Amino acid sequence: MLNPNSDAAMTAAVLTAARAVAAPDTIVSGRNPDTGPAAIESHVDEAFGEVAVARAVAASVDDGVDAYVIACFGDTGRDAARDLVDVPVVGMTEAALMNAALVAHRFTVITLPVRTIAMAERVVRHLGLEHRCTVRAIDLGVGELHDEAAQVAELMIAEALRALADDGAEAIVLGCAGLAGVAEAIGTACGVPVIDGVAAGIGLAESLVRQGLTTSSIGTHARVALPVDLR
Amino acid sequence: MLNPNSDAAMTAAVLTAARAVAAPDTIVSGRNPDTGPAAIESHVDEAFGEVAVARAVAASVDDGVDAYVIACFGDTGRDAARDLVDVPVVGMTEAALMNAALVAHRFTVITLPVRTIAMAERVVRHLGLEHRCTVRAIDLGVGELHDEAAQVAELMIAEALRALADDGAEAIVLGCAGLAGVAEAIGTACGVPVIDGVAAGIGLAESLVRQGLTTSSIGTHARVALPVDLR
Amino acid sequence: MLNPNSDAAMTAAVLTAARAVAAPDTIVSGRNPDTGPAAIESHVDEAFGEVAVARAVAASVDDGVDAYVIACFGDTGRDAARDLVDVPVVGMTEAALMNAALVAHRFTVITLPVRTIAMAERVVRHLGLEHRCTVRAIDLGVGELHDEAAQVAELMIAEALRALADDGAEAIVLGCAGLAGVAEAIGTACGVPVIDGVAAGIGLAESLVRQGLTTSSIGTHARVALPVDLR
Amino acid sequence: MLNPNSDAAMTAAVLTAARAVAAPDTIVSGRNPDTGPAAIESHVDEAFGEVAVARAVAASVDDGVDAYVIACFGDTGRDAARDLVDVPVVGMTEAALMNAALVAHRFTVITLPVRTIAMAERVVRHLGLEHRCTVRAIDLGVGELHDEAAQVAELMIAEALRALADDGAEAIVLGCAGLAGVAEAIGTACGVPVIDGVAAGIGLAESLVRQGLTTSSIGTHARVALPVDLR
Amino acid sequence: MLNPNSDAAMTAAVLTAARAVAAPDTIVSGRNPDTGPAAIESHVDEAFGEVAVARAVAASVDDGVDAYVIACFGDTGRDAARDLVDVPVVGMTEAALMNAALVAHRFTVITLPVRTIAMAERVVRHLGLEHRCTVRAIDLGVGELHDEAAQVAELMIAEALRALADDGAEAIVLGCAGLAGVAEAIGTACGVPVIDGVAAGIGLAESLVRQGLTTSSIGTHARVALPVDLR
Amino acid sequence: MLNPNSDAAMTAAVLTAARAVAAPDTIVSGRNPDTGPAAIESHVDEAFGEVAVARAVAASVDDGVDAYVIACFGDTGRDAARDLVDVPVVGMTEAALMNAALVAHRFTVITLPVRTIAMAERVVRHLGLEHRCTVRAIDLGVGELHDEAAQVAELMIAEALRALADDGAEAIVLGCAGLAGVAEAIGTACGVPVIDGVAAGIGLAESLVRQGLTTSSIGTHARVALPVDLR
């Protein structure tokens, strides 16, 4: 699990969520950079997060990692990681959207804060799911997740109910790696599936590994190395 | 594994392909109708295949099935199955396209025969992947797969090489449940990942089950029962 | 007129609506299956309806039919029918959307119940009219149409007025074969054209026949026969 | 039949084609401007053609016309005509594409000359049929149609065969009002339906009239009058 | 600056707006037809406006004009002008949308009256910006702009605030050449960039000239002459 | 001019190209990072380039810069730069595509090497120009531009001619900041406009400044600061 931000507490939470659904024979570990943004909320944060992901991949290249999951909504650094290694790299956002598309005809991502709507929509468009997926936001910073868990659930549920009524949503996608804790509350309140990309990402990574699939080595992601002076 | 056609040999081949990649704690079983089309090549075949899938799901509703995979390219009967049961239903075509999108930026489905291109494109459009996925066909009937395995590999490789050269494909998706046997030959000849939807479908089904996700029960797939007189 | 459900009263209503607009030299007849779902509201219903349509076409192949119209919103069985016969097959949904596109720049389908929105949108997307057409639903089962005609008109008018105000609709498409009776009330209340697909379908079928056009016999709908044991 | 160009011979040919498929109770008449471009090949031609159509509609407003068909590929002046009168206005291009979509899954317009591809694509996009329709051109001016009928058929057939082989076309749409004469030759040579928008347009106009449908009078085409000094 | 309507006061206002942002070495002049519609609000108006633009371009062909800007929302006559001359022709609507896309991720055009929404959307779709741009209208005729400037600002601000709240707009595009006067009031009230296409168009025209770029002379806009009898 | 790679020779070439078309009152300066990738060809390169752009913007925030142009095809770091400063930020790719859309109906980007096609398409899709723009590549690394100028022109011309013949292109967009030198050769050989994004970007930046437009400060690009420890 590659967390592109420097918040070790979020990495720990991500590992807990991932291990809860991993197959018995899967070993889940995680990494986050020591420095850099503590949350990925702006395009500036994303730039530093992408470099952090590239460096984490390069640093672990001899560790026998079978697959990577990008544990940040927006899939920060996913494409750079795919350039660097043969083993599969799964973005948690892609994974969440794919799972949602299997259990609901239409669904809604709820992200936070408003400025990240464009980043979620970028992944929706990367897959082409605009006709089945809307993106909404609650007006809260990622950093406020720790402090205000109760309020987060309340805000998410209110927004989810609007998605059901106004967008025809039949499932909800959590728009942040740090939201797994409120999934159950939303599901109970709204009566629809709630998808966490961390959990979805583990499953897709496991499946790609069992099939022996690796990132294509021609074209877009033909392998490159990270020069030593940039590591 | 729900095979909507009545070809028991194909069901057996599908089970072999599925078990080869299933997690250690997954039990894979399969069903196909006793009567009806032996291959799903036309919209007429699809109509009968959909009814067969609906009946197979209704007949197994007390068997403790954790998830279903539709083992036919085009995902025949997937939506009807989702209407009938809470547990996840994964189409092999959806699953293949999702896996392909994780290991390649652009990719090509190779189906057979030409008349099934529209069915593959229907699933591509259902997901919205038109901007990353093309569909090609080799001019062979599904029934000819058994007899002419060597020729199938040859035709598939030739078409795959055209996809790489002309469509910018970076991976190949096998456009039929009965093609798993030629995957390795294509991969070796073309140097790109080759995705089999049966294997991809098992992984997604396992993952949805581990996460406790079920098909949304509101809206498009709100549960219905199959009337006794239609079973 | 092919009604894929077993409701003979709806077939009769469809014939009345069709004959009201048919050209003087057109003979309109209809068929519905004896058994199967009495309304097409779920994907399970659609599967059985498609088989019923395929069988009805095969059974009438020597009757000198010049063209078929699928008299069910969602165009159940249209593609199977096109596989089976040379003469034109027109879906009432396609026909309604085409007529709407000729008399209004933007328009709205009002279907019933909510679960059928996805089926209407499937036809909208098949034609590519998403940029000009929205789909709404009133929360009523098809079976309730007989009993509650007055309430149906009231609900349809209320939804149509929302479509005009919120979607910029300039015309309304009736989203069910059984709604012709409320067309005039909606038109009077809303001041916009109201399109019934049954009537639209007859006109397109007549026109294709006069031009001598038949379904293309290459590619997607290359003719197949319905095997005797499936009739 | 409104011919926006001043070529009376083309108007006569259009009337012949229209009358050949009109219903027995339909009276077909036609108009073309006395002056202005003799063919609509450029956007400059289109501008003058649109004014000619608006004037022809205004001039015939008391003639008891039940419906208008724009007899020029590109549907020159269609939107202006819809602004002016309640009775239906059908573009021959729209009509041709709609008919093609009923008899083939994918199809190709063959227009002439190359500069008019963008005009044909404008109508394809107006309807949203990009995913099912390609546009090709033969390099010939509209004015050369009279002189070189034999060569036109030959060029059209060659281009149609390329459309079948390379675009997966299953039907051909004639991309000019003056091409009806070569329809049969193309159909015979290629074995697919060949659609002439003049014939298709008559049928749709008749059908709208029988249904009593008129252009919506709210929004985009809310009625305007042509000021006396512009007639 | 080509104003396709005959309102000389609007031409004067357009020139003022253009000169306010033109580079020091740019000479801005303008033209409008003596007769014809005083505002371009309907498709009938557009037809006459297109002819006026074509004639104005042909009449100025020896005047040493370096570039033309179409000063009417909807870019009336732009394509005809491009057919006629080598020097660049910039539509104010295209220009406004391009500028908006550089300073905001999502934005909204506010046009007047409601019937012109379809014309603005035509340009949005011509560029492909549907995923980032919505179109709204205030219910006012273009002719009312002179008389009711204060009310216009009020109505525009109210609509702009709805665009920010409901469409996620981050900038506003003025949907008429005559609205430059209210730009500042909207910007102050809403706190977002307000784009006037006249000003945007001048800048793009200047830039194309400095680069020596001219309209492509092959394909869609291959040069044609305006016949003497149509001038 | 912000060059995200560390190749000072390319920065110098970019400045030359920019100054050749800048308005008389425009002062053009440039920056590139001292370290990091010497060319932006992979997603890994892009990650480092984005950080370099963010740092360059933050470092120049007190320099009185009126607008930034990202001088790298793919617009590396554009969104991060927009987060950081009020003044306009123009990507050379966006600018090139916008200019191309004003002088041609369809056009083609020719990038190098093949792996960068996806990056060019990302910008094409960001604007929505897929229906008018194709992307091709010549198989050459950016680093080879210096050494093999003659060969580059030859390869570009050959690819441009294929774009004209096969894609209907009417103009060519140079897909790299280092290609300005071959523009004239391509234009002469192919007879169509050739657009260089560096020159296009300068013009759009100048125009936004003259209009007083700044990046919207709400939503997607609401201003953030670059923390001191990340500069």
Side-chain angles (χ1 to χ4, degrees):
Chain A
M1 312 300 297
L2 296 172
N3 177 4
N5 71 44
S6 60
D7 180 351
M10 187 173 283
T11 310
V14 159
L15 288 176
T16 302
R19 285 171 182 146
V21 300
D25 56 341
T26 299
I27 302 170
V28 182
S29 64
R31 269 175 184 264
N32 63 259
D34 294 333
T35 59
I40 307 293
E41 294 184 334
S42 71
H43 301 92
V44 176
D45 296 336
E46 280 196 321
F48 286 91
E50 288 173 31
V51 166
V53 164
R55 284 178 171 151
V57 168
S60 63
V61 85
D62 296 326
D63 294 1
V65 175
D66 288 316
Y68 295 89
V69 176
I70 307 288
C72 184
F73 217 80
D75 296 348
T76 312
R78 177 200 63 204
D79 286 340
R82 283 188 186 147
D83 285 1
L84 289 169
V85 280
D86 291 339
V87 299
V89 178
V90 176
M92 69 167 279
T93 318
E94 300 175 306
L97 296 174
M98 289 172 177
N99 276 18
L102 293 174
V103 297
H105 183 64
R106 281 183 299 273
F107 43 95
T108 295
V109 175
I110 305 180
T111 182
L112 71 176
V114 170
R115 67 178 310 135
T116 62
I117 289 177
M119 298 168 188
E121 287 180 340
R122 182 186 63 208
V123 185
V124 172
R125 254 174 94 73
H126 179 61
L127 291 183
L129 282 164
E130 302 93 309
H131 58 306
R132 294 173 61 188
C133 180
T134 55
V135 180
R136 290 169 169 266
I138 57 173
D139 208 2
L140 208 70
V142 173
E144 295 171 87
L145 286 184
H146 298 307
D147 310 330
E148 324 205 28
Q151 196 205 340
V152 171
E154 201 179 310
L155 287 170
M156 291 288 289
I157 288 168
E159 198 68 36
L161 292 174
R162 278 191 285 271
L164 269 62
D166 294 347
D167 301 353
E170 301 170 355
I172 297 296
V173 173
L174 302 174
C176 177
L179 285 172
V182 298
E184 194 177 337
I186 300 170
T188 303
C190 301
V192 295
V194 178
I195 293 104
D196 172 33
V198 170
I202 277 285
L204 275 159
E206 289 172 342
S207 172
L208 294 172
V209 171
R210 283 192 212 284
Q211 294 174 71
L213 288 171
T214 54
T215 298
S216 181
S217 58
I218 67 166
T220 306
H221 294 294
R223 281 315 87 70
V224 296
L226 187 63
V228 173
D229 63 321
L230 295 180
R231 288 185 191 176
Chain B
M1 312 301 298
L2 297 172
N3 177 4
N5 70 44
S6 60
D7 180 353
M10 187 173 284
T11 309
V14 160
L15 288 175
T16 302
R19 284 173 182 146
V21 299
D25 55 342
T26 298
I27 303 169
V28 182
S29 64
R31 267 173 186 265
N32 62 259
D34 294 333
T35 59
I40 307 293
E41 294 185 334
S42 72
H43 301 92
V44 176
D45 295 337
E46 280 196 321
F48 286 90
E50 288 173 32
V51 166
V53 164
R55 284 179 171 149
V57 168
S60 62
V61 85
D62 296 326
D63 294 0
V65 176
D66 288 317
Y68 294 90
V69 175
I70 308 289
C72 182
F73 217 80
D75 296 348
T76 311
R78 178 202 61 205
D79 285 341
R82 283 187 186 148
D83 285 1
L84 289 169
V85 281
D86 290 339
V87 300
V89 177
V90 175
M92 70 167 278
T93 318
E94 300 175 307
L97 296 174
M98 289 172 177
N99 275 19
L102 294 174
V103 297
H105 184 64
R106 280 183 300 272
F107 43 94
T108 294
V109 175
I110 305 179
T111 183
L112 70 175
V114 169
R115 66 179 308 135
T116 63
I117 289 177
M119 298 168 189
E121 286 180 341
R122 183 185 61 207
V123 185
V124 172
R125 252 174 96 73
H126 179 62
L127 291 182
L129 282 163
E130 301 95 308
H131 58 306
R132 295 173 61 188
C133 179
T134 55
V135 179
R136 289 169 169 266
I138 57 173
D139 209 1
L140 209 71
V142 173
E144 297 171 88
L145 286 184
H146 299 306
D147 310 331
E148 325 206 31
Q151 194 203 342
V152 172
E154 200 179 313
L155 287 170
M156 291 289 288
I157 289 168
E159 198 67 37
L161 291 174
R162 279 192 284 271
L164 269 62
D166 295 347
D167 302 353
E170 302 169 354
I172 297 296
V173 173
L174 302 173
C176 178
L179 286 172
V182 298
E184 194 176 337
I186 301 170
T188 302
C190 301
V192 295
V194 178
I195 292 104
D196 172 32
V198 170
I202 277 285
L204 274 160
E206 288 172 342
S207 172
L208 294 173
V209 171
R210 283 191 211 286
Q211 293 174 72
L213 288 172
T214 54
T215 298
S216 182
S217 59
I218 68 166
T220 305
H221 294 295
R223 281 315 87 70
V224 297
L226 186 64
V228 173
D229 63 322
L230 297 179
R231 290 186 191 176
Chain C
M1 312 300 297
L2 296 172
N3 177 5
N5 70 45
S6 59
D7 181 353
M10 187 173 283
T11 309
V14 159
L15 287 176
T16 303
R19 285 171 182 146
V21 299
D25 56 342
T26 300
I27 302 169
V28 183
S29 65
R31 268 175 185 262
N32 62 256
D34 294 332
T35 58
I40 307 292
E41 295 184 334
S42 70
H43 301 92
V44 175
D45 295 336
E46 280 196 321
F48 286 90
E50 288 173 31
V51 167
V53 164
R55 285 179 171 149
V57 169
S60 62
V61 84
D62 296 326
D63 294 359
V65 176
D66 288 316
Y68 294 90
V69 175
I70 308 288
C72 183
F73 217 81
D75 295 348
T76 311
R78 178 200 63 205
D79 286 340
R82 284 189 185 145
D83 285 1
L84 289 169
V85 281
D86 290 340
V87 299
V89 177
V90 176
M92 70 167 278
T93 318
E94 300 176 306
L97 296 174
M98 289 171 176
N99 276 18
L102 293 174
V103 297
H105 183 64
R106 280 183 299 274
F107 43 95
T108 295
V109 175
I110 305 180
T111 183
L112 71 174
V114 170
R115 66 178 309 134
T116 62
I117 289 177
M119 298 167 189
E121 287 180 340
R122 182 186 62 207
V123 185
V124 172
R125 254 175 94 72
H126 180 62
L127 291 182
L129 281 164
E130 302 94 306
H131 59 306
R132 294 174 62 188
C133 180
T134 56
V135 180
R136 289 170 169 264
I138 57 173
D139 208 3
L140 208 70
V142 173
E144 298 170 85
L145 286 184
H146 299 306
D147 310 330
E148 325 205 29
Q151 196 204 340
V152 171
E154 199 179 313
L155 287 170
M156 291 288 290
I157 289 168
E159 197 67 36
L161 292 173
R162 278 191 285 271
L164 270 62
D166 295 347
D167 302 353
E170 301 169 355
I172 297 296
V173 173
L174 301 174
C176 178
L179 285 170
V182 298
E184 195 177 335
I186 301 171
T188 304
C190 302
V192 295
V194 177
I195 293 104
D196 172 32
V198 171
I202 276 286
L204 275 159
E206 289 173 342
S207 172
L208 294 172
V209 171
R210 284 194 210 283
Q211 293 174 71
L213 288 171
T214 54
T215 298
S216 181
S217 60
I218 67 166
T220 305
H221 294 294
R223 278 319 84 71
V224 297
L226 187 63
V228 174
D229 62 321
L230 296 181
R231 288 184 192 177
Chain D
M1 311 302 297
L2 297 172
N3 177 4
N5 70 44
S6 59
D7 180 351
M10 188 174 282
T11 309
V14 160
L15 287 176
T16 302
R19 284 172 182 146
V21 299
D25 56 342
T26 299
I27 302 169
V28 182
S29 64
R31 268 173 185 265
N32 62 258
D34 294 332
T35 59
I40 308 292
E41 294 185 335
S42 71
H43 302 91
V44 176
D45 295 336
E46 280 196 322
F48 285 91
E50 288 173 32
V51 166
V53 164
R55 285 179 171 149
V57 169
S60 63
V61 85
D62 296 326
D63 294 0
V65 175
D66 288 317
Y68 294 90
V69 175
I70 308 289
C72 182
F73 217 80
D75 296 347
T76 312
R78 178 200 62 204
D79 286 340
R82 283 188 186 147
D83 285 359
L84 288 169
V85 281
D86 290 339
V87 301
V89 177
V90 176
M92 70 167 277
T93 318
E94 299 175 308
L97 296 174
M98 288 171 178
N99 276 19
L102 294 174
V103 297
H105 183 65
R106 280 183 300 273
F107 42 96
T108 295
V109 175
I110 305 180
T111 183
L112 69 175
V114 169
R115 66 178 310 132
T116 63
I117 290 178
M119 297 168 190
E121 286 179 341
R122 183 186 62 207
V123 186
V124 173
R125 252 173 96 72
H126 180 61
L127 291 182
L129 282 164
E130 301 95 308
H131 58 305
R132 295 174 59 188
C133 179
T134 56
V135 180
R136 290 169 168 266
I138 57 173
D139 208 2
L140 209 69
V142 174
E144 296 170 88
L145 287 184
H146 298 306
D147 310 330
E148 325 206 30
Q151 195 202 342
V152 171
E154 199 180 312
L155 287 170
M156 291 289 289
I157 289 168
E159 197 67 36
L161 292 173
R162 278 191 285 272
L164 269 61
D166 295 346
D167 303 353
E170 302 169 354
I172 297 296
V173 173
L174 302 173
C176 178
L179 286 171
V182 297
E184 193 177 336
I186 301 170
T188 303
C190 302
V192 295
V194 178
I195 292 103
D196 172 32
V198 171
I202 277 285
L204 275 159
E206 289 172 340
S207 172
L208 294 173
V209 171
R210 283 193 212 283
Q211 295 174 69
L213 288 171
T214 54
T215 299
S216 181
S217 59
I218 67 166
T220 305
H221 294 295
R223 281 317 85 71
V224 297
L226 187 63
V228 173
D229 63 321
L230 297 179
R231 290 186 191 177
Chain E
M1 311 301 298
L2 297 172
N3 176 5
N5 71 44
S6 60
D7 181 353
M10 188 174 283
T11 310
V14 159
L15 288 176
T16 303
R19 284 171 183 147
V21 300
D25 56 342
T26 299
I27 301 170
V28 182
S29 65
R31 267 173 186 265
N32 61 259
D34 293 332
T35 58
I40 307 293
E41 294 184 335
S42 71
H43 301 92
V44 176
D45 295 336
E46 281 197 321
F48 286 91
E50 288 173 30
V51 166
V53 164
R55 285 179 171 148
V57 169
S60 63
V61 85
D62 297 326
D63 294 0
V65 175
D66 289 316
Y68 294 90
V69 176
I70 307 289
C72 183
F73 216 81
D75 296 348
T76 311
R78 178 201 62 207
D79 285 341
R82 284 188 185 147
D83 285 0
L84 289 168
V85 280
D86 290 339
V87 300
V89 178
V90 176
M92 69 167 278
T93 317
E94 298 176 309
L97 296 174
M98 289 171 176
N99 276 18
L102 294 174
V103 297
H105 182 65
R106 280 184 299 275
F107 43 95
T108 295
V109 175
I110 305 180
T111 182
L112 70 176
V114 169
R115 67 178 310 134
T116 62
I117 290 178
M119 298 168 188
E121 286 180 341
R122 183 186 62 208
V123 186
V124 172
R125 254 174 94 73
H126 180 62
L127 291 183
L129 282 164
E130 302 94 309
H131 58 305
R132 294 174 60 188
C133 179
T134 56
V135 180
R136 289 169 169 265
I138 57 172
D139 208 2
L140 209 70
V142 173
E144 297 170 87
L145 286 184
H146 298 306
D147 310 329
E148 325 205 29
Q151 197 204 339
V152 171
E154 200 179 312
L155 287 169
M156 292 288 289
I157 289 168
E159 198 67 36
L161 292 174
R162 278 192 285 272
L164 270 61
D166 295 347
D167 301 353
E170 301 169 356
I172 297 296
V173 173
L174 301 174
C176 177
L179 285 171
V182 297
E184 193 177 337
I186 301 171
T188 303
C190 301
V192 296
V194 178
I195 293 102
D196 172 32
V198 171
I202 277 285
L204 275 159
E206 290 172 341
S207 172
L208 294 172
V209 172
R210 285 193 210 282
Q211 295 174 70
L213 288 171
T214 54
T215 298
S216 181
S217 59
I218 67 166
T220 305
H221 294 295
R223 280 317 86 70
V224 297
L226 187 64
V228 173
D229 62 322
L230 297 180
R231 290 184 192 176
Chain F
M1 311 301 297
L2 296 172
N3 177 4
N5 71 44
S6 59
D7 180 353
M10 187 174 283
T11 309
V14 160
L15 288 177
T16 302
R19 284 173 182 144
V21 299
D25 55 343
T26 299
I27 303 169
V28 182
S29 65
R31 268 174 185 264
N32 62 258
D34 294 332
T35 59
I40 308 291
E41 294 184 334
S42 71
H43 300 93
V44 175
D45 295 337
E46 280 197 320
F48 286 91
E50 288 173 31
V51 166
V53 164
R55 285 180 170 148
V57 169
S60 64
V61 85
D62 296 325
D63 294 0
V65 175
D66 288 317
Y68 295 90
V69 175
I70 308 289
C72 182
F73 217 80
D75 296 348
T76 311
R78 178 202 63 204
D79 286 340
R82 282 188 187 148
D83 285 0
L84 289 169
V85 281
D86 289 339
V87 300
V89 177
V90 176
M92 69 167 279
T93 318
E94 299 175 306
L97 296 174
M98 289 171 177
N99 276 19
L102 293 174
V103 297
H105 184 65
R106 281 183 299 274
F107 43 95
T108 295
V109 175
I110 305 180
T111 182
L112 70 175
V114 170
R115 65 178 311 133
T116 63
I117 289 177
M119 297 168 190
E121 286 180 341
R122 183 185 61 206
V123 185
V124 172
R125 251 174 97 72
H126 179 61
L127 291 182
L129 281 164
E130 300 94 309
H131 57 306
R132 295 174 60 189
C133 179
T134 55
V135 180
R136 289 169 169 268
I138 57 173
D139 207 2
L140 208 70
V142 173
E144 297 171 87
L145 287 184
H146 298 307
D147 309 331
E148 326 205 28
Q151 194 203 341
V152 171
E154 199 180 312
L155 288 170
M156 291 289 289
I157 288 168
E159 197 68 36
L161 291 173
R162 278 191 285 270
L164 268 62
D166 295 347
D167 302 353
E170 302 169 355
I172 297 295
V173 173
L174 303 173
C176 178
L179 286 171
V182 298
E184 194 177 336
I186 300 170
T188 303
C190 302
V192 295
V194 178
I195 293 104
D196 172 32
V198 170
I202 277 285
L204 275 160
E206 289 172 341
S207 172
L208 294 173
V209 170
R210 284 194 211 281
Q211 295 174 70
L213 288 171
T214 54
T215 299
S216 181
S217 59
I218 67 165
T220 305
H221 294 295
R223 278 320 83 72
V224 298
L226 187 63
V228 175
D229 63 320
L230 297 180
R231 290 186 190 176

